[in-house]
Amino acid sequence: MMLHNRVRRLSAIVAASAVLAFSAPAFSQDVTDAHLKAARAAVTAIHATDPFDNILPQAAAALEQQLIQKNPDMQELIGKTINEKAMALASRRADLEKEAALAYAKVFSEKELNDIAAFYSSESGKKLLDSGPAVTRDLVKAADIWQNGLARDLAQQVGETLAAAAKAKATAAPADAAAPADGAAPADGTQN
């Protein structure tokens, strides 16, 4: 559930970033140290890379399980080797942080990144990150109810209008059949 919340949080942040990216002017590919520092602070404040924390442990666990199934007699060596190699690879997490900071720096100005970091480091920003998924769930439920009500009311109102039009047409049809057409003789055979 916690990973699900993090993924939803990341999705909301990515969506907001995409909206801002299309509305903000493009920034130069060259990123200053100060700009990159601001980007790293924003990435940290919004926990942009948190959803990826379990990638290496999950890969290690999956590999360990797979290798032990093939070589059960080497279980101890497999476990020890995987732990050592995974720990050695853990330092590569910094590469992800750097790439995330660069991605944000390409879209947001240094000032915007400082503003983002300041907001999401504030109590209100932290609460938004923590409570955002629950609020989103409630909003989706409310939107579903609202959508169903609109669809129901639209169908009902259109149905009533069409039924009234059909009734009016049906009432007019017998009267039209009784009236002679222009230049035609009356149904009783008399002439004007």
Side-chain angles (χ1 to χ4, degrees):
M1 187 67 167
M2 184 178 276
L3 179 61
H4 178 70
N5 287 341
R6 287 182 177 171
V7 170
R8 290 193 83 164
R9 182 184 311 162
L10 176 65
S11 298
I13 292 167
V14 169
S17 297
V19 169
L20 290 172
F22 289 115
S23 64
F27 293 100
S28 168
Q29 294 291 336
D30 298 327
V31 177
T32 66
D33 288 341
H35 194 168
L36 192 57
K37 183 179 178 184
R40 286 179 190 237
V43 165
T44 299
I46 63 174
H47 305 283
T49 59
D50 286 4
F52 309 108
D53 285 347
N54 291 322
I55 289 176
L56 182 56
Q58 288 173 347
L63 180 60
E64 183 174 7
Q65 183 180 12
Q66 179 184 7
L67 291 175
I68 289 173
Q69 283 180 350
K70 291 181 182 177
N71 305 295
D73 58 319
M74 300 178 72
Q75 182 174 353
E76 188 175 321
L77 177 61
I78 291 169
K80 180 183 176 197
T81 305
I82 286 177
N83 284 335
E84 288 173 5
K85 300 302 180 184
M87 292 301 290
L89 291 172
S91 64
R92 289 176 52 183
R93 179 71 156 89
D95 296 341
L96 177 61
E97 297 296 324
K98 181 180 178 184
E99 291 301 318
L102 285 171
Y104 275 84
K106 288 177 184 176
V107 175
F108 299 100
S109 71
E110 184 179 339
K111 182 194 178 315
E112 290 168 332
L113 290 164
N114 285 325
D115 292 347
I116 290 168
F119 173 73
Y120 284 103
S121 295
S122 72
E123 291 306 312
S124 297
K126 289 175 185 177
K127 186 172 183 177
L128 177 61
L129 288 173
D130 290 340
S131 303
V135 172
T136 299
R137 272 193 310 276
D138 290 347
L139 176 58
V140 168
K141 286 179 189 176
D144 285 344
I145 293 168
W146 176 75
Q147 177 184 5
N148 291 337
L150 280 178
R152 178 199 64 230
D153 293 348
L154 178 63
Q156 179 182 349
Q157 291 173 14
V158 168
E160 290 170 357
T161 301
L162 293 177
K167 184 177 180 182
K169 186 176 181 180
T171 304
D176 287 346
D182 289 339
D188 62 1
T190 59
Q191 298 223 349
N192 290 353

